[in-house]
Structure formats: structure tokens, C-alpha cells
Amino acid sequence: MFSFFKKKPAAPEIAPPKAAPPEITAQSAALSVPVKQSWIARLKAGLSKTSSNLSVLFVGAKIGDELYEELEAALLMSDAGIDATAFLLAALKKKVKEEKLLDAADVKAALKTLLIDLLTPLQKPFELGRHKPMVMMISGVNGAGKTTTIGKLAKHLQAHDQSVLLAAGDTFRAAAREQLMVWGERNNVSVISQESGDPAAVAFDAVHSAKARAIDVVMVDTAGRLPTQLHLMEELKKIKRVIGKGMDGAPHETLLVIDGNTGQNALAQVKAFDDALGLTGLVITKLDGTAKGGVLAAIARVRPVPVYFIGIGEKIEDLQPFIAADFVDALLG
């Protein structure tokens, strides 16, 4: 079964759920109005450090070079990046001139429109039910919140009637396997692991197990690594290839989890992991309390990989789908 591995790994351990997986419907449900309002409030609070640096510029401001210079500095400070900042300023100046905008509030509204237009291509619904199982490979640098994100995503998927299987592919970090087990117990989700096995073997076995048990979604955790650790990036490529041997066309989603506090470094991560794996989507965590929320503009301008989810806290409900208009409204009020 594992003939393409150098060494046959030990038999995998399967931690079963405490209750049977939910029925399969694969239909997404919209957020209720109270939940939606609560999320918007938390998002605004989370992005307040970034938004305060931007919004204060328009209070009683005169339209001219001084405002544009201050706006340029604020955008760069928020890690929007040189490319996106230059693009937004040029477009804003053109809009102000063409529409003869004289009021600071109107200029702010124009900037909101431009930001929404820039970020909307990143907004893409996370489609369920396209494959059975749908296999997701999750990667990221150490400390990005990868394992926690997997636990939260498992809860979201269950809320949409998906049965979930987790693969503990992070065999390097001592506590990673145990951490995933805790999330599995919390969500009543099975976890496949090996104490010191090959992460590719764990992923392969999880895919086969999901097929045999008619599970809807498999999420494969991987060890955190820096893009500069070339041997570990090569291992990620191997895991992806082996998943493809376990199921033709898999993984169907290759996600990168990014810490929102890393600013421009996040863009470097997107480029490196996208070049290595061909990313299908991003999850941006820890946006609460950051002054670097503008990094989404940099990603949109330079490497527009879809942002499926954003996180602004530790709670399950603090991870929600990315909606460009809501994000910009939280940034600029």
C-alpha cells in the first residue's frame, strides 16, 4: 500500500469521533442577521488600529497634496505595499478630478469604493460538495494559527452538514498531534495520526480512510515551515503529490494560513507557497489588534489568491468568510 515510500510507516492511529458524523447536504447557509451584525462589530473592533490611522486623515481635511501624502504614509504603514498604495492614490486622484469632489467625506467614500473594487476579486465562496471526499491541504509558517484554524474550519463545515476527517500531518512539532486531537474531540471529528510517521503517509492514509467511510471533507495539517527552508518546502510538494496518488485530482483545496500581523512578510509567504504548491485560497488569522490590515490590498494587487476566511479572535465564530465590502467598511467606517 505504501510501496512508494522509502520506509513503511507504522500503522496509523484513528481517534474516532464521540458521535456519528452529520448527514450530508453540502449546502451553505447564510449568516443570520444578529450573527452578521455581531461579526461586523467584532471585525470593526479588530481592525480599529488600522482604521484609526486611515479614518483620522479625513476629519476636517482639505483636498490637496498634503492629504494625499498623509494617505500614502498611512496606507504604507498599514502594509498595503508600494504597488497597491500607488495604484489606489492614482485612481483616487483621478476620481476626485473627474467627479469634482471637494468634500473630505466624499473623497473618503471614493477611496472606499476603490478599495472594495480592488479587494472584491479576492472574495470567493468556499464551495462544498464538489468532490467526495473533498481533500484540503493546509500549510503555513510556524505560529500562523494553522492547527487552530483547522479546528475552527471543521466546526464551520459541520455547521453546513459536512462530515470531517482530520489528518495530523504535522509530525515535527511535539504538541501538534495532541492539539489536533483536542480539536477532534471538541468537534466530534476523527483524527488520523502516526506517532512519528511520514506526513505524506498520514495524508495518503487519511484520504483512503475518508473514501472508505464516505466522509465529506478531509483536512490535512502540515508542519509549519518558512519559505526559506527549501527541504521542508520540497516535503510539502511531496505531500501534495502523494495526496494525488491517494485520490485523482486531490488535493482540491490547497490553503495557506497567514498571520495578519506579519504585514508585508505575508505577501512574501503567499508568493513562495503559491509558487511551490499552486494555492487555491488563503485564511488570514489574527487580524484583531493589528495595524497591518492593509496587507490584503497588497495581496490583491500583486498575487490575488482568493481569501476564503478571515479571523479576528480565538472563538469559533471569530473565523468568517471574507467579504470585501464588510472588510473595507471596517477599515474606513
Side-chain angles (χ1 to χ4, degrees):
M1 181 175 174
F2 297 113
S3 58
F4 44 85
F5 295 112
K6 291 179 182 176
K7 183 180 177 183
K8 187 173 180 179
E13 300 171 22
I14 302 178
K18 292 180 180 176
E23 295 262 333
I24 304 160
T25 62
Q27 292 298 316
S28 185
L31 292 171
S32 67
V33 172
V35 172
K36 174 81 170 175
Q37 289 173 342
S38 171
W39 163 248
I40 295 294
R42 291 201 306 278
L43 183 61
K44 283 184 176 179
L47 290 171
S48 60
K49 279 190 182 176
T50 307
S51 65
S52 63
N53 292 340
L54 290 168
S55 296
V56 71
L57 301 179
F58 296 96
V59 179
K62 292 181 179 179
I63 314 306
D65 289 342
E66 188 177 344
L67 174 63
Y68 292 132
E69 284 172 15
E70 289 179 350
L71 182 57
E72 179 180 34
L75 286 168
L76 289 172
M77 286 285 288
S78 75
D79 277 303
I82 294 171
D83 196 311
T85 297
F87 170 78
L88 285 168
L89 281 174
L92 182 62
K93 288 176 183 177
K94 184 181 177 186
K95 201 172 179 68
V96 167
K97 188 176 180 181
E98 288 178 351
E99 298 179 15
K100 297 181 173 61
L101 303 179
L102 300 173
D103 187 72
D106 292 335
V107 177
K108 182 180 177 183
L111 179 61
K112 279 180 73 170
T113 300
L114 291 170
L115 259 175
I116 290 170
D117 289 346
L118 178 62
L119 296 181
T120 295
L122 298 183
Q123 181 182 314
K124 184 182 177 186
F126 190 79
E127 295 178 36
L128 301 173
R130 291 168 291 150
H131 306 276
K132 185 154 184 178
M134 183 171 83
V135 183
M136 298 164 58
M137 179 177 169
I138 322 287
S139 59
V141 305
N142 290 312
K146 189 164 41 64
T147 307
T148 302
T149 295
I150 289 172
K152 290 179 180 179
L153 283 176
K155 198 71 177 173
H156 272 273
L157 291 165
Q158 286 178 313
H160 295 112
D161 297 322
Q162 301 290 284
S163 52
V164 180
L165 179 67
L166 304 180
D170 183 351
T171 56
F172 291 105
R173 190 164 61 89
R177 179 169 167 265
E178 288 73 18
Q179 190 181 354
L180 205 63
M181 291 284 191
V182 169
W183 275 107
E185 286 177 17
R186 196 179 295 175
N187 295 344
N188 290 327
V189 170
S190 292
V191 179
I192 289 196
S193 67
Q194 293 173 359
E195 203 145 334
S196 57
D198 183 331
V202 176
F204 182 86
D205 196 79
V207 172
H208 271 266
S209 181
K211 286 163 74 174
R213 296 162 60 190
I215 298 288
D216 294 317
V217 180
V218 179
M219 282 194 282
V220 180
D221 189 12
T222 60
R225 65 204 69 212
L226 295 170
T228 52
Q229 294 171 307
L230 299 181
H231 64 295
L232 293 179
M233 294 301 284
E234 286 301 316
E235 184 189 68
L236 271 186
K237 294 178 187 177
K238 175 190 172 184
I239 295 170
K240 186 177 181 183
R241 286 195 306 270
V242 171
I243 289 172
K245 291 181 180 181
M247 181 179 182
D248 200 35
H252 309 106
E253 294 287 353
T254 306
L255 306 186
L256 177 67
V257 179
I258 296 171
D259 180 341
N261 287 291
T262 57
Q264 281 298 291
N265 196 32
L267 182 58
Q269 289 173 28
V270 173
K271 288 178 179 178
F273 281 87
D274 191 29
D275 288 344
L277 298 173
L279 297 174
T280 60
L282 307 175
V283 180
I284 301 183
T285 64
K286 306 181 188 180
L287 281 168
D288 49 314
T290 182
K292 300 180 178 183
V295 71
L296 269 76
I299 291 169
R301 188 69 185 149
V302 179
R303 191 65 66 100
V305 177
V307 176
Y308 282 132
F309 297 93
I310 56 174
I312 45 94
E314 290 299 316
K315 297 176 183 175
I316 292 282
E317 62 270 21
D318 289 336
L319 186 76
Q320 293 289 346
F322 171 69
I323 298 170
D326 289 350
F327 186 83
V328 174
D329 191 49
L331 269 186
L332 288 173

